Amino acid sequence: MERIADVLARKYPQFNTVVPQCLVSDALYQMCCENVDYLIVMEEEKFLGIITDHDIASRVLFDDRPLNRIPVKDFMSKTLPVVTADNSIEYSMQVMERYQVKHVAVFDQFEFRGIISSQDVMQEVLNKGNVDFEEMKDAC
């Protein structure tokens, strides 16, 4: 299978970013408009984490404030597993499985390159076509 860098190169540029001070209600609106399930939280070109629709849904139950008064920084995920652009797709699948997450951050050295989601991995596998699922099972 291919490297993560190859998948990132085929993905659209990741413009689905938000600042940590943005309100959760505005972030949800942006996710809806951009048809994405996560936003990358950045400040001054520095990666801080991501906020997903799942983060919002699971945390809103325990917070009595309205979404238009909660900043993204209160709901975002700050700790994501990290892979490098040179890692394989199989490795990213193993990391997602090990940490039970749907997103991993991609870094080269200390420079943020993007996010790879389980959906990106699944799309890559389906696009490849002739996939040996037993081989993938053994790799994981």
Side-chain angles (χ1 to χ4, degrees):
M1 232 183 223
E2 299 186 47
R3 297 176 316 127
I4 291 172
D6 300 325
V7 176
L8 283 177
R10 280 191 292 278
K11 281 181 75 165
Y12 293 113
Q14 296 185 348
F15 295 118
N16 53 323
T17 63
V18 67
V19 294
Q21 297 80 18
C22 178
L23 298 174
V24 171
S25 58
D26 294 337
L28 276 172
Y29 182 76
Q30 183 178 345
M31 284 184 216
C32 183
C33 290
E34 295 180 10
N35 195 27
V36 295
D37 62 354
Y38 69 92
L39 296 174
I40 302 167
V41 183
M42 305 274 294
E43 189 166 51
E44 297 177 12
E45 298 187 30
K46 181 181 175 192
F47 173 77
L48 299 178
I50 66 170
I51 185 163
T52 67
D53 54 1
H54 179 76
D55 292 333
I56 296 168
S58 61
R59 292 188 179 123
V60 74
L61 297 172
F62 304 107
D63 200 316
D64 59 355
R65 296 177 290 171
L67 294 179
N68 62 353
R69 296 206 178 171
I70 302 171
V72 163
K73 66 182 177 180
D74 290 356
F75 279 15
M76 72 184 201
S77 297
K78 298 173 188 162
T79 55
L80 281 180
V82 174
V83 295
T84 68
D86 288 330
N87 288 134
S88 68
I89 296 299
E90 291 95 341
Y91 179 74
S92 70
M93 291 169 57
Q94 290 171 348
V95 169
M96 287 179 194
E97 176 67 25
R98 181 177 305 128
Y99 293 100
Q100 298 179 357
V101 295
K102 294 180 182 179
H103 303 90
V104 292
V106 182
F107 279 84
D108 270 343
Q109 302 292 327
F110 293 102
E111 189 175 339
F112 176 70
R113 293 291 183 195
I115 297 288
I116 292 290
S117 69
S118 56
Q119 185 176 357
D120 297 329
V121 171
M122 186 174 15
Q123 188 66 46
E124 184 66 27
V125 169
L126 292 174
N127 286 344
K128 187 174 179 189
N130 189 6
V131 177
D132 184 353
F133 287 102
E134 288 300 317
E135 179 183 313
M136 287 182 60
K137 181 181 168 188
D138 293 339
C140 292

